Amino acid sequence: FFRSCQFLMSTSGWQRDRVPSQVQRWRKAFHLNEVTRSPQKLNSWARALPAAAVGDTTKVPIQDLVTSLQALSYRMKTLLKVRTDDQSDIIVRELREDVRSWRSKVQEIFARLATEPEAADYSRYRSRLDSTLEHLEARIEETLVHADAQSVSAEHGESMYRLLGAHRGVSEALVESAEQAAAIDWAHLRESRF
């Protein structure tokens, strides 16, 4: 799930004027399907876990993790959808580096959660993402104030705020998932039981 989210975040950096190859579109569709369906699969598996596999963890934190992954899945799909909205070229050019900074931080967190979910430092994640989003919001306001009405329409401004909201939604859901992941006894869950 987290690796697929990481891949999808990398696709949001694809340039708008570049058409991805058929293989790239297939890979994106595969990972989007994984992000969409994994929480449902994990929900079924979580209910079937034997008590010996859970260890010190009760099934409640596992179910909370599944619920948070479902929310993250919805937020990821929303971000990908909102990203396809018409955007002002001027605003996109001005904010490219700020959005890239947020995306790289999110990709790092996804990579860390994919390999070591028990080491999730969700309070650090929250502070890093919040500061990045606050900076991005300030840059959007600054760009909209300095742009003239002919080059940036009100619709483009609204679209940028929807995009900011989608970024904030992914950040919040990601931090929540990291917090839920940290509550699980992963070492016990990974033990072989044959």
Side-chain angles (χ1 to χ4, degrees), residues 33-184:
N33 185 52
E34 288 296 302
V35 167
T36 302
R37 299 200 57 213
S38 290
Q40 298 163 2
K41 292 176 191 175
L42 290 171
N43 188 37
S44 298
W45 293 339
R47 285 183 277 161
L49 279 174
V54 178
D56 294 335
T57 308
T58 65
K59 288 194 178 189
V60 173
I62 294 172
Q63 190 57 49
D64 290 346
L65 174 62
V66 171
T67 302
S68 70
L69 294 179
Q70 184 65 56
L72 181 55
S73 172
Y74 289 142
R75 298 299 186 174
M76 287 291 295
K77 290 187 295 187
T78 299
L79 176 62
L80 294 173
K81 182 182 179 303
V82 170
R83 192 178 178 290
T84 63
D85 290 351
D86 186 37
Q87 304 289 338
S88 163
D89 290 336
I90 293 170
I91 295 175
V92 169
R93 192 172 37 254
E94 285 293 317
L95 301 175
R96 181 172 285 132
E97 288 305 314
D98 298 303
V99 172
R100 185 175 294 146
S101 171
W102 174 84
R103 187 177 60 245
S104 69
K105 287 175 182 157
V106 170
Q107 284 177 279
E108 288 172 19
I109 294 170
F110 280 135
R112 179 72 187 252
L113 288 171
T115 58
E116 297 178 278
E118 65 276 6
D121 187 356
Y122 52 89
S123 59
R124 188 171 138 255
Y125 297 162
R126 180 174 302 283
S127 66
R128 286 180 65 202
L129 294 176
D130 283 350
S131 68
T132 303
L133 286 172
E134 287 170 10
H135 177 74
L136 180 59
E137 185 173 8
R139 290 278 294 129
I140 289 172
E141 289 174 10
E142 176 185 316
T143 303
L144 290 175
V145 166
H146 289 78
D148 58 22
Q150 288 80 27
S151 61
V152 179
S153 68
E155 291 81 22
H156 285 142
E158 290 172 9
S159 180
M160 282 310 298
Y161 279 109
R162 277 193 302 278
L163 191 58
L164 176 64
H167 283 88
R168 193 171 300 282
V170 168
S171 293
E172 289 295 322
L174 176 55
V175 170
E176 177 65 23
S177 295
E179 185 173 358
Q180 298 304 327
I184 294 175

